[in-house]
Amino acid sequence: MFSHESAASLLGLPVFGHPRAIHIFDGRRSRSVTYGDVTVHTSADERTNCSIAGIRVSAIEDVVIDLARVLPPAFGLAVADAAARSFGLDTPRLLDLAAAQQTTFGARRALWALSRATPLAESPAESVSRAVIEWCGFPAPALQTEHGVDGRIYRSDFCWPERKIIGEVDGWMKYSDTDAAAAAEAVRAEKRREDALRRHGWHVARWDYAGALRVEALRGALLSAGLQPVRRSEGAALVSVGRNTRSM
């Protein structure tokens, strides 16, 4: 059955870059092996499977745990968040399943990602940003906070209410050039929204997915908005952001 990134792609979970291998799981084998661009995995831990359009894939819980063990932590968090959001996976259950497995490979990495999984992160960009925010030493934000302004309700990706700071990850799909009128209206709506928030004392920091991967764009945006770190940054973790040797 398909596993790891191959199963994630079939399940609609995020895949980062173009995976270098097609991943298969075969519990009958005594060891894992690679044939060309196909990697066949095995494990002492039993696996279950599900079917998508007649294609057998690892169970969603196994896919999330497997990827949390091997992906860069920020990407593992994005997979876990997506599974919590789209499949309703429960974080304590994932942690229990991971702890019960015999393999210890990537255990600390998996624990970090799985313990932070939340359905409130609405995109991989938000998940990666959450990791970068933590590793930069900033205080933990509230997610998907609603703000009542001028009779309207606006929702923010990240919010630090006590500091009146909002963080926003730009998703460029809403500014698509396939419909110029819709893109222009999206820009105007964003401007009206941001102006309204600022009139009510909010400082707004903006960055995009690439800015989160580069770290400094995200950090600079939050510093410019007035948010200050409350602990030392984690340099080694920040270096791992966006460096995925499993993909091209």
Side-chain angles (χ1 to χ4, degrees):
M1 57 190 172
F2 288 105
S3 69
H4 295 78
E5 286 92 342
S6 300
S9 180
L10 291 165
L11 289 164
L13 295 173
V15 176
F16 303 90
H18 186 80
R20 297 181 181 276
I22 298 168
H23 295 275
I24 304 291
F25 182 85
D26 185 352
R28 300 168 300 181
R29 299 192 62 89
S30 60
R31 62 184 181 88
S32 300
V33 66
T34 295
Y35 301 99
D37 60 357
V38 177
T39 296
V40 184
H41 303 268
T42 192
S43 174
D45 300 298
E46 292 187 9
R47 302 298 177 89
T48 56
N49 67 83
C50 61
S51 178
I52 300 175
I55 302 172
R56 293 179 68 211
V57 301
S58 294
I60 179 68
E61 294 88 352
D62 288 330
V63 175
V64 173
I65 293 169
D66 284 343
L67 289 176
R69 289 181 183 277
V70 300
L71 284 174
F75 292 164
L77 176 62
V79 172
D81 282 349
R85 180 174 67 250
S86 299
F87 294 88
L89 292 193
D90 181 66
T91 292
R93 171 170 166 74
L94 286 174
L95 289 169
D96 287 344
L97 288 172
Q101 291 181 343
Q102 297 181 52
T103 179
T104 59
F105 178 81
R108 290 182 60 187
R109 184 180 301 191
L111 175 62
W112 184 91
L114 299 178
S115 65
R116 288 162 172 76
T118 173
L120 295 177
E122 296 185 339
S123 70
E126 290 184 27
S127 299
V128 172
S129 295
R130 286 174 56 218
V132 174
I133 288 168
E134 176 179 333
W135 293 334
C136 283
F138 292 116
L143 306 180
Q144 306 304 329
T145 301
E146 292 187 342
H147 310 272
V149 177
D150 297 340
R152 301 190 64 176
I153 299 296
Y154 298 112
R155 192 172 59 169
S156 59
D157 296 334
F158 305 98
C159 179
W160 293 266
E162 67 285 358
R163 296 168 174 82
K164 296 287 284 186
I165 294 173
I166 285 172
E168 293 287 288
V169 185
D170 283 318
W172 298 113
M173 290 300 294
K174 62 186 174 183
Y175 306 123
S176 172
D177 58 5
T178 59
D179 187 335
E185 178 53 33
V187 172
R188 288 192 291 269
E190 284 289 344
K191 184 71 167 69
R192 289 192 294 267
R193 171 183 179 276
E194 199 161 309
D195 286 346
L197 289 167
R198 286 192 168 118
R199 284 197 302 273
H200 283 73
W202 290 95
H203 301 276
V204 181
R206 307 189 73 92
W207 62 88
D208 60 12
Y209 182 45
L213 292 176
R214 290 194 295 267
V215 175
E216 289 306 323
L218 185 158
R219 177 158 39 198
L222 288 176
L223 289 172
S224 295
L227 189 65
Q228 294 298 315
V230 294
R231 57 186 177 275
R232 295 181 61 180
S233 64
E234 299 179 43
L238 289 170
V239 168
S240 75
V241 178
R243 293 190 177 184
N244 183 17
T245 59
R246 294 174 61 85
S247 290
M248 292 182 280

